[in-house]
Amino acid sequence: MIHVRINGKLLEAKKGETVLQLAQRNGYHIPNLCYHPSLKADGACRMCLVEVKGANAKPNSLTTACTLTVKEGMEVLLDTPEVSKHRNTILEMLMALVPDSPVLTKMAEEYGLKEIRLAQGDEVCIKCGLCVRICDEVVGAKALAMEGRGTETTFNPPFNEPPERCVACTSCAFICPVQCIPVKKTNDSITIWGREFDRLKCTRCGRALDLTEEHMALMMTRSSHLKPEDLNVCDVCSRKEVLGTMKSLVDGQITLERVGK
Amino acid sequence: MERISSPNALLDVIKKHQDARDPDKVRISVCQGTGCIASGANSVMASFESTLLEKNSSVELLGTGCHGFCERGPLVVIQPEGTLYQRVKPENVNEILDKTIGNGEVITKLLYRDEAKNTYEKEQDVPFYKHQERIVFAMNGHIDPSRIEDYLAMGGYGALAKVLLNIEPEQVIHMVTKSGLRGRGGGGFPAGVKWKSCRDAEGSPKYIICNADEGDPGAFMDRSIMEGNPHSVIEGMIIGAYAIGATKGYVYIRNEYPLALLRLENALEQARELGLLGDNILGTDCSFDITINRGGGAFVCGESTALMMSIEGKVGRPRVKWQHTAKKGLWGNPTNINNVETWANIPPIMDRGVDWFTSIGTGDVSNNPWGGSKGTKIFSLVGKVNNTGLVEVPMGISIRSIVFDMGGGIKNSQKGRTFKAVQTGGPSGGCIPEQYLDNPIDFDELTRLGSMMGSGGMIVMDDRTCMVEVARYFVDFLKEESCGKCTPCREGLRAMSEILGRIVKGQGRHEDLVVLEDLASTMSVASFCNLGLTAANPVLSTLKYFRQEYLDHIDKGECAGRQCQDLIKYTISEENCTGCTLCARKCPTKAISGEKKSLHVIDQELCVRCGVCDDVCNFNAVTILSGPER
Amino acid sequence: MEKTFIVIPEKCTGCRTCELSCAYSHPMASGQPGNPRIHAYNTKPPLEKGIQIVCLQCDTAACMEACPAFALQRNLETGAIEVHLDRCINCHACFNACSFGNIVLDPNNRVAKCDLCGGDPKCVQFCPTGALLYQ
Ligand SMILES: Cc1cc2nc3c(=O)[nH]c(=O)nc-3n(C[C@H](O)[C@H](O)[C@H](O)COP(=O)(O)O)c2cc1C
Ligand code: SF4
Ligand code: SF4
Ligand code: SF4
Ligand code: SF4
Ligand code: SF4
Ligand code: FES
């Protein structure tokens, strides 16, 4: 066990975990905008600043909790004046970039950021990179790309055209911290990143599934156990089928046991 | 040449070449560096070749690497006297051969002439060279970089032989640490310390990388080393590989350096042929080879983690170091990365020893490799100075010596131009004002002054330089070059650029300075990589040393450097104008009118503030007004 | 994992107390009850007989294989496959993958499934007829 102090309180940390993980596990809140537990931290937004002492750290050094691996004897302070000053400047920069985000506005209220002194832009994306990374590293569709450099950096489908490799799983829209990726769902279609996909229909009842042909194909690359005939049946019809089997079992007066395994 | 079978055999080969080289032989070296080629050195070389052939002369002709004094190129040096001819044209070739080579006569018109009209015959007497201490550049100008024989004849690869024969890897690292050699690529991290942690790291294969991405605008020392003496870098890398236990090396070279690439490829081929690279180098059990990787083109690719991403075939952006690069670098394996100049320093250190190296430079590194800065540093001296080019100087020299002795002082001083500041360290360096001209400069002193060593860029600025504009220029450069990954760097630079853009237009507000300082302080602690962490230096240092200029822009609409187009007005003074009509003839928009021998006037509607009239006027009659007087 | 989850449909009356107890013991982030992860269906009215459908915690679980985020992980103590909502990216792959319809969507559109209540299944506790056992 590794011993780490957060705000003075001694905590037991697991080897290899980050300060952000340790803090979250123990109920401390560290603001973050580019971290997701299913991804390795990237350290892009810089909102999760903390102050570190001990364990060979330089005096009062600020660093990002998401990229900081715990070390024996480490002392972390979450809300020092330094931390909050720089965190607020970063938040101010983001709010100048994306002026109308409820998520950021709420953060500003929470951390006491009162005034945006910088020239305001009109973007919606805070350039955290999560959408590209999730699609790349987790979903595996690799439909999006970080393009451009510096202030011109964008996170979009390549060339900002309807993404060829997208499967409409909508994960990117889900994890976007400022919810700026619009998804339109109708009974027949899902539209995301400017591309409209047909929804598959349940082969039994015809109900629209939360699934596209493309997503199904991608899922099947993950495991040979996933078959189209199972995937394109809705949950209700799936249960109905189980019900039928169970009923015949019950009618035959057999007790069905299933081990909680 | 034949493969060499052992370190001892290598020593013999070196001896053979050394003996064969007659130091008193007449030798014409023509600089074939990129700078001189740009000013026509190729045709000068060709002309020498054909004329020598015509005359059936046995004089040795040498196409060398960069001599550093690129501004005066094409450069030709006649050995053994060391006569330096500058700005040589093909039509001068016959004369040189007839007079200088044939008769020992010096051609005065081709000599370097300083502002005071003194001429200098010998290269080593020219002030630009006289005050330099050339270790890394020692052979540039004396060898043909495409011939390994020339390098051997100067004792090259002797350090490698010595190391393989007598020095254990740990001892090599110990020596590098004791020498106090610090990374020349910007960070100034002690090379020996880095090598040790890579040697001690678990995992194989281990890699070493030579960072030849050289992205700082105006810096070209790495290019000149590779062009002028590629074997010195290769020898340094082989010694490093032996010490660290690396089996594979990469040179990550900027795409814009075709000549350096060519010279390096050629040198690698030669080294392989001699058995200096490849399996079982010189018959020992050390195996190592080098691959060249061509850069991705972005400035940030020079940052070590971005560079490794790029070698791995990914987009070159800085990545999180979960462990030190030395432990987990390229493809997760232990990796050591050093700059070109750092590698090129290794052979001389191994050859001449730690005591010799530590006798040059500042501080005491005997117990602490951070205790000082040892050896030399190559600066690329540019800007408003008479002699521009590459100067290799001992650490601890003063800026004054570089600017005034080697650089020959401020350009156009006869027109009243004076020194204002030097900007060191590349785009994210800082500006150092006059009061620190005599401070001995090294890694730590430059940082203390709010600037940095960086890769060794040094831009001299005169009183006609607006410091707000300087800050704006660098901020805009960095804004384009920031990779865009992290908020403080990307958005901080965007905001700074907007604010500075307003101030230079005279639309600044007092609060802007507070905001600039807030942005700068956050960028300097919270950015992801060193680009962002240092990106505020131009703003911070100008705010610190030249705050009044910011205030003048804001309060009075006055630009002290008379540079900001929106705040200045060109006029012609009645007192000085002789009515020579020169300015009227040169003005590109025909904004100047006036009769011969009478006062000329500038039509402000037509004037585009290009400054040509001021440049051409011989009577100092053009005045630039700014602020209330405007 | 010593205990097994036993379903005895013969004893089930289809009263759906299990569903209710499941929903209330698995509130969403908002505090509102979630959707039940167990289903009890009446075979014929009125409330004569019921059949319960609940996750089998399959050996080779389609839901787990479909999840790209490793958000479904088996709890080695209880044997239950649990959703780790912090890792979940809401792609609904698991929801589509389970061929028994045992992944459910909560009203907030997040996926949920039987987690054996961490070793103390509330449905078992509240089933009035003893049609669910955990022993
Ligand atoms: C934005 C950025 C650009 C850099 N560019 C270069 C470069 O062009 N060449 C170089 O040698 N080092 C460059 N560096 C420094 C490298 O990251 C690294 O510190 C260096 O290559 C290590 O070698 P050294 O210890 O020999 O200096 C750059 C760093 C940053 C942050
Ligand atoms: S919806 Fe498309 S772009 Fe978004 S994560 Fe899924 S596949 Fe990638
Ligand atoms: S779209 Fe959303 S997830 Fe993607 S980079 Fe922008 S803010 Fe981040
Ligand atoms: S500091 Fe700048 S260059 Fe470095 S990661 Fe951040 S945005 Fe990219
Ligand atoms: S949810 Fe479905 S697939 Fe997953 S373990 Fe339960 S029954 Fe099996
Ligand atoms: S919805 Fe969540 S748990 Fe289900 S497959 Fe997707 S990521 Fe995994
Ligand atoms: S959450 Fe740590 S930098 Fe974004």
Side-chain angles (χ1 to χ4, degrees), chain C residues 18-133:
Chain C
C18 55
E19 289 191 4
L20 214 60
S21 51
C22 181
Y24 275 90
S25 52
H26 293 100
M28 300 179 291
S30 63
Q32 301 293 111
N35 277 341
R37 297 101 190 265
I38 186 168
H39 292 86
Y41 290 97
N42 304 320
T43 51
K44 27 179 171 61
L47 289 189
E48 246 174 57
K49 182 122 208 71
I51 291 182
Q52 321 93 315
I53 297 180
V54 68
C55 171
L56 313 176
Q57 320 294 359
C58 313
D59 282 347
T60 307
C63 57
M64 237 172 126
E65 306 232 327
C67 177
F70 300 100
L72 293 164
Q73 284 167 16
R74 199 178 294 274
N75 179 328
L76 294 177
E77 269 166 43
T78 61
I81 294 169
E82 299 175 346
V83 187
H84 292 260
L85 277 185
D86 58 336
R87 295 188 66 100
C88 168
I89 56 173
N90 223 33
C91 66
H92 292 186
C94 53
F95 175 65
N96 288 306
C98 174
S99 24
F100 311 110
N102 279 330
I103 302 272
V104 301
L105 294 182
D106 273 344
N108 61 5
N109 210 29
R110 307 291 319 256
V111 297
K113 70 176 289 301
C114 167
D115 57 359
L116 295 174
C117 296
D120 178 19
K122 295 292 178 303
C123 49
V124 173
Q125 208 177 314
F126 286 98
C127 176
T129 64
L132 296 170
L133 298 176

Side-chain angles (χ1 to χ4, degrees), chain B residues 89-361:
Chain B
K89 295 190 187 66
E91 48 272 31
N92 303 131
V93 165
N94 255 318
E95 198 181 353
I96 296 177
L97 289 177
D98 290 346
K99 291 195 177 156
T100 312
I101 306 289
N103 267 338
E105 227 177 282
V106 170
I107 307 167
T108 319
K109 66 170 191 232
L110 291 177
L111 293 177
Y112 165 72
R113 188 183 301 264
D114 66 14
E115 272 221 313
K117 310 264 186 265
N118 303 313
T119 54
Y120 299 83
E121 269 180 35
K122 292 192 188 342
E123 185 178 37
Q124 61 267 32
D125 295 334
V126 172
F128 180 78
Y129 292 105
K130 192 174 165 188
H131 302 274
Q132 294 194 37
E133 173 140 4
R134 296 194 146 199
I135 296 175
V136 173
F137 270 166
M139 295 188 211
N140 274 38
H142 296 279
I143 61 170
D144 177 343
S146 62
R147 291 161 38 93
I148 192 169
E149 296 84 351
D150 283 20
Y151 185 64
L152 292 165
M154 299 292 285
Y157 286 112
L160 175 65
K162 185 169 151 187
V163 163
L164 291 179
L165 273 176
N166 304 319
I167 314 180
E168 289 300 312
E170 288 83 359
Q171 184 61 21
V172 174
I173 294 182
H174 184 70
M175 285 173 71
V176 174
T177 310
K178 282 285 171 196
S179 75
L181 175 67
R182 291 169 67 173
R184 303 299 196 235
F189 195 88
V193 175
K194 205 146 77 172
W195 288 20
K196 182 163 173 18
S197 47
C198 189
R199 178 173 178 84
D200 292 346
E202 273 172 42
S204 78
K206 288 181 180 163
Y207 299 107
I208 61 174
I209 300 175
C210 170
N211 188 344
D213 198 42
E214 198 163 52
D216 287 8
F220 58 106
M221 55 286 285
D222 293 351
R223 184 187 79 198
S224 293
I225 296 170
M226 289 183 291
E227 281 176 10
N229 193 356
H231 284 290
S232 65
V233 182
I234 298 172
E235 186 179 1
M237 288 181 75
I238 304 173
I239 296 173
Y242 165 77
I244 291 166
T247 48
K248 184 122 193 65
Y250 290 89
V251 178
Y252 186 87
I253 184 169
R254 231 185 120 136
N255 225 351
E256 293 87 342
Y257 285 178
L259 186 59
L261 182 78
L262 206 73
R263 298 256 164 94
L264 204 62
E265 274 174 344
N266 171 57
L268 285 174
E269 208 37 61
Q270 293 169 341
R272 273 186 210 115
E273 219 178 280
L274 290 194
L276 299 168
L277 280 175
D279 289 341
N280 302 95
I281 292 172
L282 297 172
T284 65
D285 48 17
C286 168
S287 297
F288 173 68
D289 209 339
I290 298 175
T291 309
I292 297 182
N293 242 272
R294 296 170 71 168
F299 176 67
V300 75
C301 283
E303 194 276 338
S304 53
T305 60
L307 185 149
M308 285 187 262
M309 293 273 273
S310 179
I311 293 185
E312 289 174 14
K314 302 177 188 134
V315 181
R317 281 178 211 279
R319 66 176 169 205
V320 179
K321 289 190 216 175
W322 293 102
Q323 283 186 28
H324 268 290
T325 304
K327 293 195 186 122
K328 279 206 180 337
L330 212 48
W331 291 293
N333 283 7
T335 304
N336 178 75
I337 178 165
N338 279 119
N339 163 262
V340 174
E341 196 182 331
T342 316
W343 287 118
N345 264 296
I346 299 296
I349 293 176
M350 289 299 134
D351 196 33
R352 299 168 74 174
V354 168
D355 290 342
W356 162 75
F357 196 76
T358 51
S359 70
I360 308 160

Side-chain angles (χ1 to χ4, degrees), chain B residues 313-503:
Chain B
K314 302 177 188 134
V315 181
R317 281 178 211 279
R319 66 176 169 205
V320 179
K321 289 190 216 175
W322 293 102
Q323 283 186 28
H324 268 290
T325 304
K327 293 195 186 122
K328 279 206 180 337
L330 212 48
W331 291 293
N333 283 7
T335 304
N336 178 75
I337 178 165
N338 279 119
N339 163 262
V340 174
E341 196 182 331
T342 316
W343 287 118
N345 264 296
I346 299 296
I349 293 176
M350 289 299 134
D351 196 33
R352 299 168 74 174
V354 168
D355 290 342
W356 162 75
F357 196 76
T358 51
S359 70
I360 308 160
T362 61
D364 176 9
V365 294
S366 52
N367 293 314
N368 170 10
W370 275 272
S373 304
K374 293 298 181 185
T376 59
K377 176 76 192 90
I378 304 173
F379 285 97
S380 111
L381 183 64
V382 295
K384 304 290 175 57
V385 63
N386 280 310
N387 308 327
T388 60
L390 295 178
V391 294
E392 183 173 353
V393 294
M395 296 277 188
I397 197 169
S398 67
I399 297 176
R400 185 186 299 283
S401 178
I402 297 180
V403 174
F404 290 92
D405 296 340
M406 291 167 232
I410 298 301
K411 221 180 213 148
N412 290 328
S413 54
Q414 73 282 5
K415 277 195 167 185
R417 297 287 69 82
T418 53
F419 176 91
K420 188 187 253 182
V422 286
Q423 201 273 357
T424 73
S428 37
C431 295
I432 301 172
E434 188 160 12
Q435 68 254 42
Y436 300 114
L437 267 179
D438 291 308
N439 288 32
I441 51 169
D442 64 9
F443 284 107
D444 308 311
E445 181 68 8
L446 284 172
T447 310
R448 210 181 58 76
L449 294 176
S451 184
M452 58 189 207
M453 180 72 82
S455 59
M458 188 174 277
I459 305 173
V460 181
M461 295 162 179
D462 65 7
D463 58 336
R464 279 287 162 80
T465 314
C466 168
M467 300 315 279
V468 185
E469 171 57 24
V470 166
R472 191 203 61 82
Y473 173 83
F474 285 116
V475 161
D476 276 8
F477 174 87
L478 292 165
K479 187 181 95 174
E480 300 296 318
E481 295 299 334
S482 144
C483 84
K485 169 179 175 144
C486 73
T487 315
C489 172
R490 186 190 62 233
E491 299 310 324
L493 285 167
R494 181 207 302 274
M496 280 184 166
S497 160
E498 188 270 336
I499 295 173
L500 293 169
R502 274 193 291 103
I503 298 181

